[in-house]
Amino acid sequence: LNFIDLMVRQGNIDNPPKTPLVPGFECSGIVEALGDSVKGFEIGDRVMAFVNYNAWAEVVCTPVEFVYKIPDDMSFSEAAAFPMNFVTAYMMLFEVANLREGMSVLVHSAGGGVGQAVAQLCSTVPNVTVFGTASSFKHEAIKDSVTHLFDRNADYVQEVKRISTDGVDIVLDCLCGENTGKGLSLLKPLGTYILYGSSNMVTGETKSFFSFAKSWWQVEKVNPIKLYEENKVIAGFSLLNLLFKQNRGNLIKGVMDKLLNLYTNKKIKPVVDSLWALEEVKEAMQRIHDRGNIGKLILDVEKAPTPLVS
């Protein structure tokens, strides 16, 4: 499960798909069948894959360019947790923001799947300082992966400036709303702000137009002249659009090769929060909605539902 799945369910995305719909954008499993011209894979191979919807199923079909072999020592649940989070984190840090030694990064939702991937990848570069926001009950579990951790409801702008008076080099924002202006205000000269989600638009059980509109109104209007005067970079990143609308599967393959190399060398490892049966998808989604997870929630087609305790 990814946060984008909640946004799809609430219709908070561009061109939401029509129902009936099987959600899900990534999966892992065993190759059952191959197209006539497919090379490089055999029936029985352990693989992980990106899928343009339809991942939450017992059988999934996707073009070969979106499929990758799983390393021998990686479990299926780790593999299902790997592609979206680590490719997103890697591309934002290294392809868009050009992370280098001695830089500083602010990441929101530091306990989530992308947040944990960002923290791990930052640790592969010397002397990178990671500022993170997360719910306070997660701090104990993730404190070792983040240099400076703040409560998600605290005034993190003041906290960051207290530690680093001139701000940070990179801001990774999955919240949107008022955090856009805050993130831009924290950027050092030549710093990069990247928006890669808008989780603040997911509110209650149903889509609320007013919360949606409020979130948009809180987004600071970006003035290009101001960016020029302050030497700041503002960027957006959507892995799904890059894969399925802009046909950059080859670029992603190169990134996956680098990431699997890092995994094999024990530099990175997906964090799995919990496994859920398909019948428990409502409860699993609620856990993400309540921001209760540390790392990734996985739907396991072979898992039986957990009996409810009276």
Side-chain angles (χ1 to χ4, degrees), residues 229-299:
E229 288 172 347
E230 296 180 356
N231 279 304
K232 291 181 178 178
V233 178
I234 186 164
F237 184 78
S238 162
L239 176 57
L240 294 176
N241 284 349
L242 204 62
L243 279 168
F244 302 123
K245 289 185 179 172
Q246 295 153 348
N247 303 318
R248 293 298 190 274
N250 277 345
L251 175 64
I252 307 299
K253 186 166 185 349
V255 170
M256 276 292 279
D257 289 344
K258 291 174 187 166
L259 286 167
L260 289 170
N261 194 30
L262 285 170
Y263 176 86
T264 305
N265 290 317
K266 300 195 163 33
K267 300 273 202 245
I268 58 173
K269 185 179 175 67
V271 179
V272 175
D273 175 82
S274 46
L275 300 181
W276 302 74
L278 285 178
E279 294 89 340
E280 298 170 321
V281 68
K282 179 174 184 277
E283 293 82 2
M285 283 189 127
Q286 192 62 45
R287 182 166 171 80
I288 294 188
H289 189 287
D290 298 338
R291 293 173 167 80
N293 58 303
I294 295 169
K296 203 67 173 261
L297 279 78
I298 306 292
L299 294 176

Side-chain angles (χ1 to χ4, degrees), residues 68-79:
Y68 313 92
K69 287 185 179 166
I70 300 176
D72 290 342
D73 56 347
M74 186 186 275
S75 69
F76 281 117
S77 55
E78 281 185 329

Side-chain angles (χ1 to χ4, degrees), residues 52-105:
N52 195 10
Y53 294 106
N54 299 309
W56 298 356
E58 292 171 343
V59 180
V60 170
C61 184
T62 194
V64 69
E65 66 174 310
F66 303 137
V67 182
Y68 313 92
K69 287 185 179 166
I70 300 176
D72 290 342
D73 56 347
M74 186 186 275
S75 69
F76 281 117
S77 55
E78 281 185 329
F82 193 81
M84 285 267 292
N85 291 164
F86 276 99
V87 171
T88 297
Y90 186 96
M91 294 201 73
M92 290 194 300
L93 289 171
F94 297 106
E95 305 272 338
V96 182
N98 197 14
L99 177 68
R100 297 185 304 286
E101 183 174 347
M103 281 187 164
S104 53
V105 179

Side-chain angles (χ1 to χ4, degrees), residues 147-281:
T147 324
H148 302 288
L149 203 47
F150 312 120
D151 184 78
R152 66 183 295 267
N153 298 314
D155 183 357
Y156 62 85
V157 175
Q158 292 309 314
E159 293 289 329
V160 171
K161 285 190 168 165
R162 187 173 56 77
I163 297 163
S164 172
T165 47
D166 54 349
V168 297
D169 296 293
I170 300 167
V171 173
L172 305 177
D173 181 10
C174 60
L175 304 176
C176 200
E178 62 181 332
N179 294 280
T180 303
K182 290 179 178 178
L184 279 169
S185 75
L186 279 173
L187 277 188
K188 292 178 182 179
L190 303 182
T192 305
Y193 162 94
I194 306 174
L195 181 72
Y196 70 98
S198 46
S199 63
N200 275 345
M201 294 189 187
V202 172
T203 50
E205 189 57 29
T206 55
K207 179 178 172 181
S208 158
F209 173 76
F210 293 104
S211 62
F212 191 81
K214 177 173 174 257
S215 198
W216 270 120
W217 277 113
Q218 287 174 327
V219 177
E220 185 164 298
K221 306 301 179 277
V222 177
N223 179 345
I225 303 291
K226 203 172 165 196
L227 290 177
Y228 148 76
E229 288 172 347
E230 296 180 356
N231 279 304
K232 291 181 178 178
V233 178
I234 186 164
F237 184 78
S238 162
L239 176 57
L240 294 176
N241 284 349
L242 204 62
L243 279 168
F244 302 123
K245 289 185 179 172
Q246 295 153 348
N247 303 318
R248 293 298 190 274
N250 277 345
L251 175 64
I252 307 299
K253 186 166 185 349
V255 170
M256 276 292 279
D257 289 344
K258 291 174 187 166
L259 286 167
L260 289 170
N261 194 30
L262 285 170
Y263 176 86
T264 305
N265 290 317
K266 300 195 163 33
K267 300 273 202 245
I268 58 173
K269 185 179 175 67
V271 179
V272 175
D273 175 82
S274 46
L275 300 181
W276 302 74
L278 285 178
E279 294 89 340
E280 298 170 321
V281 68

Side-chain angles (χ1 to χ4, degrees), residues 105-110 130-134 139 146-151:
V105 179
L106 168 67
V107 61
H108 294 297
S109 301
V130 181
F131 297 89
T133 69
H139 287 200
V146 179
T147 324
H148 302 288
L149 203 47
F150 312 120
D151 184 78

